[in-house]
Structures are given as C-alpha cells and as structure tokens.
Amino acid sequence: MDIDSLQAQVKNDLEKVSSPEALEEVRVKYLGRKGVVAELTGSIPGIPVQERGEFGRKVNAFKSGLHELFAKKEESLKDGEALRGENIIDIGMPGIAQQVGTLHPLTRITDEICSVFSRMGFSVAEGPEVETEYNNFTGLNIPLEHPSREAFDTFYLKDYDKKLLRSHTSPAQVRIMQEKKPPLAVVVPGRVYRPDAVDASHSFMFHQIEGLMVGEGIKFSDLKGVLETFAKAIFGEGIKMRFRPHFFPFTEPSAEVDISCIICGGKGCSVCGRKGWLEILGSGMVHPNVFKHVAIDADKYSGFAFGMGVERIAMLKYGINDIRLFFENDLRFLRQF
Ligand code: DAH
C-alpha cells in the first residue's frame, strides 16, 4: 500500500466526518486492531531488507500524523458543537454586573471635611486610639478632679500603666505640639470612646475631627473665619453661625458653635428643638497651660483649637436620625451614599 495515497485518503475520510461517532469509525479504520496501520506494521517482515528501515520510518510517521489529525478533528467537532448546541456563547449578551462598593458615609464626610481644611492650608494627621492619661487629660489642662476623668466616663485599660481609650481627639494637640513647633495647622480625624449607653444619639465609639492652628498673632477672628468657611462648604453658603460662650479646660476663651438649623432655616422645628440653631462643635483659643505643657512660649505664640463629632455632622447633613445606623452594616442604609 502506498503511504502517500493513504495520507490523502485519511484527509478525505476526515473531511466527511461531522460527528464524534463518525470520527470513531475512521479512527478504528486506521488505528484499530485490524486497521490500516496494524496491517502496514504486519507487512514489515515481508519487505526486502534494504527497504525495510525506510518503510518502517514512514509507517511510524504516518501513525503519529494520524494521532494529530484525529485530535484536531475532535477539537473542531467540539467547537462546532459549542456554537450550535446548548453551550452556545452569545457574544452579544451583556456581562454580569459586578457589585461596586461605596465609601461609608462617615468616611465620605471625614474626607470632605478634611479636604475643606486642606484647602485652607491645614495638614491631616492621626493619633493613636490608646492614649496616655497625660495626653488625654493632664496635658490638656484637665484637672485630676474633673468628672470626665472618672472611670464611668472614660475606658481605662486594666493593668496597662495609665493608658486609656482616648475620649476625644484633643490629645492629638499635645502630641502635635510636642513634635512640631509653630507655625502649624493640623486637623486630626479619628475614633474616640466613651462608656455611654447606646441609643439613637449615643454610641460607645464615635468619630471626631480635631483642629489646631498655632502661630504668631493667631486671633479669635481667625478661628471664626476658618470655621465659617468650613460650615459654608459643608452645609451651604446660606448657613448662619453663632458662637456661644462655653467652658473647656484646654481653651480660653471657649465657645460652642451653632449653625442655623438646616431643616427649618432658623424658624424652629423638631430637629433643632424649636431653637432654630444646631450645635456642631466646640472651640476656643489654646489655653496658656496647654502651651506650658508642650514648652511653647505663650507670650510669643497663640492659637485656636476646635473639635467636632463626625456622626453629628453627617446626621445633620444627610438627615439621619439614629447614630446606630452607621455601625450596623445594613446595606439598605449604606447603599444610599
Ligand atoms: N474635646 C472636646 C470634646 O470632646 C471638643 C473640643 C472642644 C475640642 C473645644 C477642642 C476645643 O479642640 O477647643 O467635647
């Protein structure tokens, strides 16, 4: 049998094949126990010795060529089946939408607030949540007898050498002024902890943003200007502000800052308790005793500080009435931001 014409015959046979069954038949015809290849191999002993080697090589090449051809045919049958059958690939079908995450509302508002202050030249820093009693209280001129130092107002860490979970972000002021000398302007966002019973407006953990600016000739009017720029950027140009005298141990004079109610515009409603004003933060001029603790010359330098609750700002801005919503991870709530 002439191997070259066999080769042509195989190709011919394979062209006609259109199913796995037909392919199997052709395979048996050539590679089966009584197939063409077996017959060729069986004929080798009858070939004259001089031609035997050459013939044997041809038979082997033919055989491995067959394996390749069959494999290719099998592949193309499968592809054809995929295009025709149930596994059809519809390249026009829209893809499966991936769920895209969003920033948590507290992250969003924190970023927004920090970027307002960045535009005014403040840098953004962070401080540790586990603080020393010194940074949280003493360095801030909070006397030993102050009620906020009581165990029921602050989480003290047991057996941990006067360490506690910071009850406000103000200890960052102490850290910043120990490390850096004026002029400086920094905002510090972060978590704070207080052993409060959880309800619609209280949480044992919440977020604050602290602000501090120290330099030569910093005045209360600078504080007013900075906070007004902040409030207008976050709540809108039409917002009004007022400063109410207050007491904080680490600032003198101190003030609480209110904005005109964003719900009723100042007329009085249930959100502002009929007052027309909403308290948004505490502030004041850095107390000379705080400067003394960080070895800054209070005769040469002055500064202001402020601290705000991030949840409170977010609740006012977005009309959220329960602080617990921020921490429950309910996607129906979170997806709205
Ligand atoms: N640390 C205060 C609090 O948690 C808020 C505060 C008030 C921060 C006045 C300040 C400030 O920097 O000047 O209630």
Side-chain angles (χ1 to χ4, degrees):
M1 230 182 300
D2 173 17
I3 293 188
D4 289 335
S5 59
L6 274 174
Q7 207 105 36
Q9 200 185 316
V10 177
K11 286 208 173 122
N12 208 16
D13 286 350
L14 281 178
E15 256 162 42
K16 289 184 212 132
V17 163
S18 61
S19 70
E21 294 77 24
L23 178 63
E24 187 54 24
E25 258 172 51
V26 179
R27 193 199 310 274
V28 170
K29 174 174 170 191
Y30 289 93
L31 292 170
R33 245 180 339 116
K34 292 178 184 159
V36 175
V37 171
E39 205 178 306
L40 286 171
T41 316
S43 71
I44 292 177
I47 304 284
V49 185
Q50 312 92 289
E51 294 162 30
R52 210 178 279 165
E54 167 76 38
F55 184 76
R57 269 190 291 281
K58 269 195 163 175
V59 173
N60 275 339
F62 176 58
K63 190 173 165 183
S64 48
L66 282 178
H67 284 298
E68 223 169 275
L69 285 171
F70 288 143
K72 262 195 206 147
K73 186 73 193 183
E74 200 172 336
E75 275 302 302
S76 75
L77 281 179
K78 265 193 209 147
D79 289 350
E81 198 176 5
L83 281 175
R84 270 179 282 105
E86 314 117 56
N87 299 332
I88 195 156
I89 297 168
D90 177 359
I91 58 167
M93 194 169 86
I96 298 164
Q98 297 295 314
Q99 292 215 0
V100 178
T102 56
L103 290 178
H104 191 280
L106 292 177
T107 308
R108 255 181 87 141
I109 197 87
T110 301
D111 288 354
E112 213 174 301
I113 293 169
C114 288
S115 87
V116 170
F117 284 104
S118 296
R119 291 201 290 276
M120 289 190 271
F122 285 74
S123 53
V124 181
E126 280 183 45
E129 291 167 32
V130 172
E131 260 296 3
T132 59
E133 201 177 356
Y134 180 85
N135 287 346
N136 200 79
F137 295 122
T138 315
L140 288 166
N141 195 38
I142 300 176
L144 268 175
E145 68 279 6
H146 195 276
S148 68
R149 296 183 78 138
E150 298 279 353
F152 52 81
D153 271 325
T154 299
F155 285 111
Y156 287 88
L157 302 187
K158 242 192 204 159
D159 309 324
Y160 202 52
D161 197 28
K162 305 223 177 218
K163 293 260 174 85
L164 45 77
L165 294 179
R166 66 177 176 191
S167 57
H168 52 175
T169 43
S170 303
Q173 291 187 31
V174 180
R175 288 180 175 267
I176 288 162
M177 290 190 284
Q178 274 168 346
E179 280 163 28
K180 239 180 121 208
K181 292 305 152 198
L184 53 90
V186 188
V187 283
V188 185
R191 291 195 180 97
V192 301
Y193 301 82
R194 289 179 195 176
D196 284 333
V198 175
D199 63 24
S201 52
H202 293 86
S203 168
F204 57 87
M205 183 280 296
F206 58 100
H207 298 73
Q208 288 189 334
I209 297 177
E210 192 77 14
L212 175 70
M213 181 183 275
V214 182
E216 283 182 56
I218 302 287
K219 302 181 292 295
F220 198 92
S221 54
D222 297 314
L223 169 64
K224 284 189 91 168
V226 164
L227 290 182
E228 192 164 325
T229 305
F230 148 74
K232 289 193 164 160
I234 297 298
F235 294 107
E237 279 299 315
I239 224 78
K240 286 198 282 290
M241 289 186 91
R242 71 173 184 187
F243 284 67
R244 261 182 304 108
H246 197 78
F247 172 78
F248 295 107
F250 32 92
T251 43
E252 182 58 35
S254 305
E256 278 193 329
V257 175
D258 300 340
I259 55 167
S260 51
C261 178
I262 51 174
I263 307 296
C264 64
K267 286 201 273 305
C269 67
S270 61
V271 171
C272 58
R274 322 255 158 246
K275 292 196 284 276
W277 295 96
L278 299 163
E279 185 212 317
I280 56 162
L281 54 84
S283 66
M285 302 304 289
V286 178
H287 197 289
N289 287 351
V290 175
F291 280 143
K292 205 184 288 168
H293 278 119
V294 293
I296 286 181
D297 182 355
D299 291 330
K300 185 168 178 202
Y301 296 106
S302 57
F304 63 75
F306 56 86
M308 66 183 88
V310 180
E311 283 79 358
R312 176 151 175 90
I313 305 275
M315 287 168 84
L316 292 174
K317 185 170 162 103
Y318 298 128
I320 298 163
N321 58 12
D322 194 320
I323 195 171
R324 291 169 289 200
L325 286 164
F326 290 116
F327 309 119
E328 285 170 345
N329 271 342
D330 186 333
L331 292 178
R332 292 170 303 179
F333 169 73
L334 295 174
R335 284 211 179 100
Q336 297 176 58
F337 298 94

